[in-house]
Amino acid sequence: MKAIEVKTSRPYKVLLGSGLIASAGNLIKEVIKAPRLMVITDDIVVALYGEIVRNSLIEAGYEVDFFIIENGEKSKSLPVYGAILDYLADKAYTRTDAIVALGGGVVGDLAGFVAATYLRGIEFVQIPTTLLSQIDSSVGGKTAIDLDAGKNLVGAFWQPSLVIADVDTLQSLPDKEIENGLGELIKYACLIGGETFDIVANGFGKALERVIELSIQYKRDIVEADEKENGVRTFLNLGHTLAHGIEQLSGYSFTHGKAVSLGIIAIAKAQLKLNKLSQTDYDKLLSLYELYGLDTELPYGISELVKVACVDKKASGKNIKLVVMDGIGNCRVQNTALDALEEYFK
Ligand SMILES: NC(=O)c1ccc[n+]([C@@H]2O[C@H](COP(=O)([O-])OP(=O)(O)OC[C@H]3O[C@@H](n4cnc5c(N)ncnc54)[C@H](O)[C@@H]3O)[C@@H](O)[C@H]2O)c1
Ligand SMILES: [Zn+2]
């Protein structure tokens, strides 16, 4: 088991390894003294890992309740959020009790926001069970729910007290969810370069745990430097400007990860055309896309995509902070005027 320390305003550890959920109770016990834990999970994850986690928490001496949401983004909503708060209040959960988020990013974001706000904030533990949530959403303390007007419009920065990333849980992930995580993995490969890029470019296989570790370490460094996203945390948005547009125009039939992978290759093409990215690096990236059978052509016209990107909440004023790639492992934030964006991608 690896322990990665995250030194944010409230420091915590990310534990990474095999077979960890079976000892979740004892691992949590070292950090959280709460007598009661409310496990928030979804219908798919509870069927796979609910029992093993429940038993481990009970064995460690916790009193345990479960709140099971329907799987999928739709549950990151005000009604579901409200129902969980009511359930906590009905059961008389106090400030010394805690929340456990068992599942992917949907569960993590929702349960984290519940923890951030119930009684003005109680402790919580993340047990991420998707590739995306292990490399990205479970670390860093961003919690949120969606509104009809858009994704993640209500939320809080609230760091977990512990993250338990058990790589064995990834074995039950359907292909679509691997593809979803792959988009973010390619993002890290491009941001970090070096060993991270090489592992992803070689089809990770046995090095999956190592590449998850490298991704978490990178995210940790970024989050430590910029906990509230005022600066370098923007780097994590590589490929995301167009990705949000693609997701929205497809009515969310494209996974986030697939959209991110398309957003990244579009940036690479633009940089190549501007002679800011070498042909060698571009070709390396292209072979990675070939290896995973990923599309490299945008599914929508650039003007349409840019229009959607411009109403995105990450666009501030007349400029957008576009993350561009000058080389693999060499990215930079470029302030780009919204009306120059279409030209940039053309
Ligand atoms: N907070 C952040 O920093 C951050 C970063 C990136 C993404 N996010 C958020 O994360 C969410 C997406 O997360 P996600 O991709 O993990 O989606 P998800 O939580 O919806 O999980 C995807 C699907 O996989 C299922 N699943 C989960 N674990 C499984 C397992 N081990 N085996 C089989 N099936 C399993 C789930 O039931 C679900 O149907 C989005 O809402 C996004 O906004 C947050
Ligand atoms: Zn993302």
Side-chain angles (χ1 to χ4, degrees):
M1 179 178 78
K2 302 253 166 49
I4 303 163
E5 293 207 35
V6 187
K7 296 198 189 75
T8 38
S9 50
R10 222 163 26 135
Y12 56 98
K13 279 186 189 142
V14 180
L15 307 177
L16 172 68
S18 278
L20 300 187
I21 55 167
S23 19
N26 287 330
L27 296 171
I28 294 172
K29 197 100 219 171
E30 285 178 28
V31 193
I32 294 186
K33 301 297 165 227
R36 303 170 78 190
L37 298 176
M38 172 74 71
V39 180
I40 300 171
T41 184
D42 73 29
D43 52 347
I44 292 180
V45 178
V46 78
L48 293 163
Y49 307 111
E51 227 21 62
I52 186 164
V53 170
R54 182 196 294 273
N55 290 341
S56 160
L57 298 178
I58 289 171
E59 260 169 45
Y62 287 110
E63 205 182 305
V64 182
D65 291 295
F66 269 65
F67 192 100
I68 302 163
I69 64 165
E70 203 179 305
N71 75 89
E73 185 72 28
K74 278 207 183 80
S75 288
K76 255 176 74 174
S77 68
L78 281 170
V80 177
Y81 166 69
I84 301 175
L85 294 179
D86 282 337
Y87 191 64
L88 285 162
D90 280 351
K91 294 233 161 211
Y93 267 66
T94 70
R95 298 200 58 185
T96 53
D97 298 320
I99 305 269
V100 175
L102 172 67
V106 163
V107 164
D109 277 16
L110 171 70
F113 187 53
V114 167
T117 49
Y118 181 69
L119 301 177
R120 298 194 187 83
I122 64 175
E123 283 191 278
F124 88 115
V125 176
Q126 291 264 23
I127 308 184
T129 61
T130 61
L131 181 55
L132 181 137
S133 57
Q134 293 196 354
I135 60 176
D136 197 343
S137 63
S138 65
V139 181
K142 270 203 207 175
T143 72
I145 56 173
D146 304 333
L147 297 180
D148 290 341
K151 279 184 65 173
N152 299 324
L153 291 184
V154 182
F157 286 98
W158 191 249
Q159 302 294 342
S161 300
L162 180 69
V163 181
I164 303 173
D166 184 338
V167 290
D168 292 348
T169 61
L170 305 181
Q171 283 173 12
S172 55
L173 276 183
D175 289 349
K176 188 175 171 214
E177 295 309 329
I178 296 286
E179 175 195 85
N180 194 15
L182 187 60
E184 302 290 356
L185 211 47
I186 293 172
K187 175 183 85 180
Y188 285 114
C190 291
L191 288 170
I192 310 170
E195 184 188 357
T196 311
F197 187 89
D198 291 343
I199 294 175
V200 181
N202 289 313
F204 49 86
K206 287 202 180 95
L208 178 63
E209 187 173 328
R210 174 68 180 147
V211 83
I212 293 174
E213 182 189 5
L214 289 162
S215 301
I216 294 172
Q217 283 169 342
Y218 178 83
K219 180 145 189 194
R220 182 265 320 268
D221 293 346
I222 292 271
V223 167
E224 282 182 356
D226 180 18
E227 194 170 337
K228 300 270 168 81
E229 195 166 339
N230 299 312
V232 289
R233 200 155 172 171
T234 308
F235 276 91
L236 299 172
N237 293 332
L238 174 64
H240 279 59
T241 306
L242 291 187
H244 291 313
I246 295 168
E247 282 182 276
Q248 226 165 305
L249 289 174
S250 77
Y252 292 93
S253 65
F254 273 69
T255 64
H256 175 68
K258 192 178 167 72
V260 168
S261 67
L262 285 162
I264 292 173
I265 197 76
I267 293 276
K269 281 181 189 172
Q271 291 292 96
L272 176 72
K273 192 188 62 194
L274 294 167
N275 287 322
K276 298 219 168 111
L277 179 73
S278 71
Q279 187 72 46
T280 319
D281 275 6
Y282 181 77
D283 289 345
K284 273 166 98 179
L285 189 59
L286 212 54
S287 358
L288 186 155
Y289 276 63
E290 278 164 13
L291 174 72
Y292 294 104
L294 294 169
D295 290 338
T296 56
E297 295 299 327
L298 289 174
Y300 304 100
I302 197 66
S303 49
E304 222 181 338
L305 282 170
V306 164
K307 231 173 263 149
V308 180
C310 291
V311 296
D312 183 84
K313 68 183 181 342
K314 286 191 177 99
S316 55
K318 287 191 160 34
N319 287 305
I320 194 163
K321 285 187 174 137
L322 193 67
V323 186
V324 298
M325 203 191 317
D326 292 337
I328 288 167
N330 180 20
C331 294
R332 153 176 75 82
V333 177
Q334 179 173 287
N335 247 331
T336 309
L338 286 179
D339 44 23
L341 205 55
E342 196 173 325
E343 192 52 38
Y344 172 82
F345 283 111
K346 258 199 179 127

